[in-house]
Structures are given as C-alpha cells and as structure tokens.
Amino acid sequence: MGLATSLMDIRTDTGSTSPIMADISLGYAMDAHKIELVVMSSIKDDNLNQLITDIPIASSLLYRFTATPRNSLHLDLILGYSQVDIEASYVNVPGFTESYQGVSFGFGLEESLKSIPALKFKIDFIQLYRGDQLTINSYNVGFRYEF
Amino acid sequence: MSFKSIYGFFICSLLLILTACSDADKEKELVDLFTTASQDLIAIDFPAGTTQDTISINTFVDYKIEGLKSNGIDVIPLNDNITWSLSAGAISTIDQNGRLSSGSVAEVVTITAKFGILTTTSDVFVSAAKFDRVIMLNSTPVHVNMCQAEQIEPIGSYLNDDGTEEIRPVDNTIINTITWIIRNQEDDTPSQRAFIKTENDLTELQALEAGNVIIQAKAMSLSSGNIVTSVDFNQTLDHNLNSLKLCLRSETDLAACSLSNTDITENAVVSLMAVGNYQATDGTTLNQNISAYSKWGTDNNSSSTIAFSADRQQLNVTGNTQNTTTNITVACGNIEQTVLDSEIENGVVLDVPVTCASGDINCLPSTAAINIVDTTVTSLDVTANGSALVDDTPLALSFTPVTIILKVTANYSDDSSQDVTTDTNVIYNNRSVPIIIGIPASPGEYTVLTAGEADIQIIFQSQIFIARITIP
C-alpha cells in the first residue's frame, strides 16, 4: 500500500501546467514483480496566465519490475495503463473537461527505511499519457508499506 | 526462437502499438487552450488598416494578425501557431504565412485566421478589374519633414470590362512597377528634394530637403496596355528641423548626446549618427536618427574612409593613417555640393565636405573631428570624492557632501593611463541639475544642492561612463 504526492506535468508545444495530486496505491508484490492500482486526487490546480488546469482524478494500473532486487536501492521499471481526467477553464470560454487514456511507462527508485524495513521511500517518474500534441507526466514522491 | 521470446516480442509490439494510439481529436481543444494561454490573449484581429475590401486577381497580399492581451490594453503581433484558411470553394489560396494569392477569377472569399481557440475573419472581394493608373499618392494627406520618410499607399483606378471603375490601393504586383517622377514645383525641373522607394512591397516618400514638389506615377495600364502617367500630385516637404548634431551610434539618449571629436586607431571603426531635433505640432520636440536621409562628407578621405551601414542608420568611419585628422560633415537639406541621382537613391556620402550656403535656413550642418591616433582610450575609471564608481551603478553615500569631485582616468590601448579630468575634450553632461550643479571653471566638480541621485554622463574619445551617486 502506498501514499505519495504527485507533481503532474501537462505539457504541449506551447506551454505546460503542473497541478499537484495526492495518490494512494494498492497492490501485490511477489519477488521482483509488483502490480498496483493507483488512484490520484487533486490537491492543487495550476495556471498558465488565464488558463487554469486541474486533474480531479487519475488512475493507473501499473506493473513494476525491480531490476536490482539484490541492491538496497531498488530500480523499478514501470509499465501500465492510465486514465487522466483534465479540467480547464479560460477567460470567456466555457469550461473544458476531457479524459485521456493511454499506455504509461516510467521508472522508480525505492529504498527501505533501516528502522522499518517494510516501509519504503520511493520516487517515481511515469509518463501517464503520450499523445500527438499532449504529454502528461507525473513525478511522485512517497512511501510504500509492504505487508 | 523460444516461446518466451515470441511472447515477449508480441507483448512489446502490442504495447508499442497502443502507445502510438492517442486521442488526437480529444487533445486538440486542450492544446488550443494552451496555445492561447501561452500568449495570454483574449482576442485576435487583423491590425487596423491592414486589410483590404478588394484586391485584384492574380496578385497577393500578406496578412498579419495581432492579439489582445488579457488586460484588455496591450496588443502584440502574432507570427507563429496561426492557422490560415479560406472559405470553402475559393479559387484563391492562402499559405500558412498568411499570404493570400488571389486566383484568376473574380470571387468573394473569407479569410480565417485561427490562433489557439481564437479566430478572426475578413471578407475580401477578388476583383477582375484591371489596373489603369495611379490617381492618388496616398488615401490621406502626407506630412513629412526634411530628412524624414513616410510610408505611402498609392491609390489606383481599376477598370472593369464594362467600364465601371474601382478606386483602391495599388496591388503588390503593380506597386513595384511604378516609376516615380519628382519635379520642383516652382520651375518644373527634376527634383532631388525627395525620393520614392518601394521595397518589400512597401512604398515610402523620403524627404531630403524642404520645399514643394510635384510627383507623378508612371506605370503600365493593364486595362489599356499603354504606359500611363498620372496627374500631378502636389506635395509639401516641411522643415520643422530645429537643429542637427552628430553623436556616436552607440548613444541611446538622443536628447543628451553630443560629439565634437573622437579618436580611433588605424584600421579601427567608429560609427556616427546624425540626430535631428524636430518641432512637433503640439509644441513638443522630437529627437530622431536621420542619418539615412542626411548628406555626409569628409575633408580628408585618405585619413579615413567613410561609408553608410547597410541600413543607412549610421556612418562608419575607418581610420586609415595614423596622426591625421578627418573632419566629418553632415547636413540635412540643400547642400552646396552637386549630388548624383544615384546618391539620392542610395544615400549621399561624398568625398568632399558638405556645406550649407550662408544664411540658407533650409540647410542645417554639423561636423565632428575624427583623430586617427596610435593609441586609443579603451576604458574610463572614475572616482567621486575618492570612492571608485562602477559605470552606470549608483554609489550610495553615507553622508551629504558639500561638493562632489570627480576624477577621470583614461586607460589606453598601450596599457598606459592618464588623469584626463581637466582635459578639454572630456564632456561632462550633468543630467541631474536639481540635485547637483557644476562649479564654473572646474570640470568634474559639482556643488550638492539637495538629496537624490546625481547622474553625470562622461564622454571621452568614444568612451562613455555614467557616474551615479546617491546623495542622502
């Protein structure tokens, strides 16, 4: 089970915004393989001049493969599928809402706390969505507890 | 090949295919929002006066748009990320740089420019009427002072096959073909008072002297197939020039700059500009770089070589012979020397001094001496009451002095230095008169009048130092 804070990066050729989200994950780990369901919820929106963007909710189903199981610092390769809902508002324009789905991939670093080996500190970078003109990335920092 | 590798290859291929699939249609609106927001715009439009209701067949017009910022006040030009399109079924075409190329048949087209989520449109009638002749120099009266230029938009008469006439600006395809004839109004002789130049489809009237001229436009009439010369257009070239001076091209304060002489080493280049002070109709004055339309000369073309820059915004002086002096002269207006027509077109730079006839109010001169030396000043060090100053950086004093005494040291290209504080060639421009005032006959010394920031511009042989002192 994991808790993390995510800095999202909604990026186009002409600009980007970075809403902040909180995510909770539940999963199952077996040796070097982990599968998890991640649900992210908005903490803070972000703006580009008069454009305000927010991600009310995002969810991912991810497979994580630990490439360095024998090291204390684990390097995870991440592959999965995500759905990201984006809300946007701009002056004199009706509100915009759209949902983007796509294959996600990334990598993460994880290390156990020496005092509580089951509690792991993790940092992830995941490209949640990659489109023709739009990319959604997430930078996550948090903890994972392995029961 | 094992089952495991086939399985892995299949999964990776599937994932790659899935990665390549994206919601392109769903992205467009969000991407457009970002495009619009990146420039902080709330509206776009064609700049005032840049669109035409009617253009001819087989010509082209370049369209631009500008955007209104979210503060509702600021307007910015837009050059990128614009999608241009025409109404459905148009024979004319428009490229993504905004160039409308009209077709060979008459039609009405709607031009649409899209920037992000913002759009604007303009209707244009593509007319089959053929150009006949120029009938007006410009849609509104042209006001231009000597040694200035004004853009003009000649108006033409276009004739349809049924004889009906259209009056509208001359097309881009015609404007470059017009031959302009300029004569002096008082005696009808060919005039060098003005020149009309068309470049990049823009036409400007360049006034080189004050006076009255008659302008005619000669061009091929597409309607009749003959060369047609327009009627006379009377044009006044105003004076309104209060003074002319020389400054270094690097100067940014045109009101305060001045130059009487400067040093350069052999093969070095110094760039000069002519600054005209004009009287505006509202009673204010305006300083402007009028190098392009002034007339330049030299009294010693072996000592140095002079030439215009490519844009004619400066005169470049290259030192040729050490220990010689060149006097560069410049004048706006009717000089005494003979000028070729080609020089009127390309810029007047003579290898003799330019002079104005005594008492001729329509000619204003200025001169500066360029000394070709074996060493030149590379920098200035300045102290104020013993404290070192940094160029254009305020020095905050801890107490209010009675006087400020500057010391100016010139550093030369041969690594030598010299105190030039009292050198008569050092120019001190006190730009803070209410704060400090110069002590007569004491260069670099000032009496402090009140608190504030003292600002003194120091110029010595093309080196400029701005001394700023904050007086509590």
Side-chain angles (χ1 to χ4, degrees):
Chain A
M1 177 176 132
L3 290 171
T5 301
S6 301
L7 177 69
M8 307 299 281
D9 177 36
I10 305 170
R11 183 167 293 274
T12 71
D13 286 341
T14 53
S16 66
T17 56
S18 302
I20 298 174
M21 309 186 75
D23 74 32
I24 183 167
S25 57
L26 286 171
Y28 180 77
M30 185 171 75
D31 298 328
H33 306 278
K34 293 186 275 292
I35 189 160
E36 62 182 15
L37 175 67
V38 182
V39 178
M40 291 174 266
S41 180
S42 172
I43 296 177
K44 187 175 180 304
D45 57 30
D46 192 25
N47 68 289
L48 171 64
N49 293 319
Q50 305 298 319
L51 174 69
I52 300 172
T53 62
D54 195 11
I55 302 177
I57 193 160
S59 54
S60 301
L61 182 64
L62 301 173
Y63 164 73
R64 303 172 79 107
F65 174 73
T66 302
T68 58
R70 290 193 174 80
N71 288 353
S72 63
L73 181 65
H74 289 175
L75 170 65
D76 286 352
L77 305 175
I78 304 168
L79 189 61
Y81 196 83
S82 301
Q83 174 171 307
V84 181
D85 294 346
I86 294 180
E87 288 180 350
S89 64
Y90 194 72
V91 62
N92 296 334
V93 176
F96 165 88
T97 302
E98 195 54 83
S99 180
Y100 300 93
Q101 300 98 20
V103 172
S104 307
F105 56 88
F107 64 90
L109 295 172
E110 191 178 83
E111 181 152 22
S112 299
L113 270 62
K114 287 190 170 40
S115 54
I116 312 173
L119 183 63
K120 300 159 197 311
F121 174 73
K122 65 170 187 170
I123 299 174
D124 294 334
F125 163 76
I126 306 173
Q127 187 168 83
L128 297 175
Y129 174 83
R130 183 184 184 85
D132 291 337
Q133 302 175 78
L134 174 69
T135 304
I136 306 170
N137 299 318
S138 75
Y139 303 85
N140 313 313
V141 174
F143 292 92
R144 184 173 72 87
Y145 189 87
E146 202 165 287
F147 294 96
Chain B
M1 190 184 274
S2 68
F3 173 77
K4 198 172 179 181
S5 52
I6 293 172
Y7 175 77
F9 175 75
F10 174 76
I11 293 295
C12 288
S13 302
L14 188 63
L15 288 171
L16 274 172
I17 292 168
L18 283 173
T19 308
C21 297
S22 66
D23 296 324
D25 291 336
K26 292 201 277 185
E27 292 175 18
K28 189 163 183 352
E29 188 172 349
L30 183 62
V31 170
D32 284 346
L33 279 170
F34 270 89
T35 300
T36 309
S38 67
Q39 297 295 323
D40 195 24
L41 301 179
I42 56 173
I44 61 172
D45 206 349
F46 297 90
T50 62
T51 57
Q52 296 177 22
D53 295 332
T54 307
I55 64 173
S56 294
I57 55 172
N58 300 319
T59 187
F60 66 89
V61 180
D62 290 319
Y63 286 90
K64 299 285 180 201
I65 58 167
E66 57 187 18
L68 177 66
K69 290 280 206 181
S70 64
N71 63 8
I73 299 170
D74 297 328
V75 173
I76 60 168
L78 298 173
N79 300 308
D80 301 313
N81 296 313
I82 304 167
T83 303
W84 295 92
S85 61
L86 295 180
S87 41
I91 305 298
S92 305
T93 59
I94 192 163
D95 67 18
Q96 292 311 301
N97 295 316
R99 172 165 288 196
L100 170 68
S101 299
S102 59
S104 56
V105 296
E107 60 177 350
V108 176
V109 297
T110 300
I111 303 167
T112 300
K114 184 173 184 298
F115 181 84
I117 58 170
L118 304 172
T119 61
T120 187
T121 61
S122 178
D123 292 333
V124 178
F125 171 51
V126 177
S127 168
K130 299 185 184 71
F131 170 76
D132 184 51
R133 69 190 68 204
V134 175
I135 61 167
M136 287 173 69
L137 192 63
N138 195 56
S139 57
T140 55
V142 180
H143 299 289
V144 61
N145 295 320
M146 57 194 286
C147 295
Q148 287 186 333
E150 281 295 321
Q151 194 171 318
I152 59 174
E153 193 175 33
I155 305 296
S157 167
Y158 287 77
L159 299 177
N160 283 300
D161 290 341
D162 61 3
T164 54
E165 183 186 35
E166 292 173 7
I167 309 294
R168 51 184 165 87
V170 173
D171 295 307
N172 290 334
T173 48
I174 302 292
I175 197 73
N176 296 289
T177 67
I178 297 175
T179 300
W180 297 95
I181 304 163
I182 305 176
R183 310 191 306 277
N184 294 320
Q185 194 175 75
E186 66 274 12
D187 57 12
D188 215 33
T189 54
S191 178
Q192 290 187 333
R193 292 177 183 158
F195 184 77
I196 295 180
K197 185 169 197 165
T198 299
E199 199 168 276
N200 298 324
D201 305 320
L202 294 175
T203 302
E204 64 175 15
L205 171 62
Q206 300 170 352
L208 301 166
E209 298 175 22
N212 295 318
V213 295
I214 298 169
I215 300 174
Q216 286 181 296
K218 187 163 82 171
M220 170 69 75
S221 165
L222 298 182
S223 177
S224 66
N226 302 318
I227 301 287
V228 176
T229 302
S230 71
V231 298
D232 293 345
F233 307 129
N234 294 315
Q235 178 65 44
T236 297
L237 310 173
D238 295 315
H239 193 301
N240 293 323
L241 182 63
N242 295 323
S243 63
L244 178 69
K245 63 181 177 180
L246 280 167
C247 295
L248 295 173
R249 182 68 174 102
S250 56
E251 290 272 23
T252 54
D253 186 346
L254 299 188
C257 68
S258 65
L259 181 70
S260 58
N261 71 85
T262 191
D263 292 356
I264 58 173
T265 54
E266 203 174 284
N267 299 320
V269 178
V270 63
S271 299
L272 310 179
M273 63 176 168
V275 177
N277 178 272
Y278 289 90
Q279 194 70 37
T281 53
D282 61 359
T284 60
T285 60
L286 166 72
N287 292 289
Q288 188 175 18
N289 179 356
I290 58 171
S291 301
Y293 312 115
S294 298
K295 295 162 185 170
W296 299 82
T298 174
D299 69 346
N300 190 344
N301 57 4
S302 61
S303 164
S304 63
T305 306
I306 62 173
F308 262 131
S309 59
D311 61 1
R312 286 168 57 181
Q313 293 302 301
Q314 64 195 47
L315 186 83
N316 294 324
V317 182
T318 305
N320 291 337
T321 311
Q322 275 186 26
N323 301 315
T324 60
T325 295
T326 304
N327 288 303
I328 304 297
T329 49
V330 65
C332 173
N334 179 26
I335 62 174
E336 293 182 291
Q337 289 67 38
T338 299
V339 177
L340 301 174
D341 287 345
S342 61
E343 290 166 331
I344 294 294
E345 178 176 352
N346 299 315
V348 180
V349 179
L350 306 181
D351 56 6
V352 294
V354 296
T355 55
C356 300
S358 176
D360 184 353
I361 62 170
N362 289 322
C363 183
L364 280 75
S366 186
T367 187
I370 311 298
N371 305 308
I372 318 304
V373 299
D374 52 5
T375 61
T376 191
V377 176
T378 56
S379 66
L380 299 175
D381 290 334
V382 179
T383 62
N385 294 355
S387 298
L389 298 178
V390 176
D391 182 27
D392 203 18
T393 302
L395 171 72
L397 300 179
S398 57
F399 64 94
T400 306
V402 175
T403 57
I404 287 179
I405 298 175
L406 300 179
K407 179 182 171 185
V408 182
T409 303
N411 302 309
Y412 292 87
S413 55
D414 63 354
D415 293 330
S416 65
S417 298
Q418 185 179 9
D419 183 344
V420 297
T421 308
T422 56
D423 189 316
T424 54
N425 293 312
V426 175
I427 300 171
Y428 295 94
N429 287 326
N430 179 8
R431 307 193 292 196
S432 49
V433 169
I435 311 295
I436 57 173
I437 192 166
I439 298 174
S442 298
E445 296 187 18
Y446 300 86
T447 301
V448 176
L449 300 176
T450 184
E453 184 168 294
D455 180 337
I456 306 153
Q457 182 192 54
I458 304 163
I459 304 173
F460 181 60
Q461 294 184 10
S462 80
Q463 291 298 314
I464 301 173
F465 191 102
I466 310 297
R468 292 193 193 281
I469 303 136
T470 306
I471 301 166

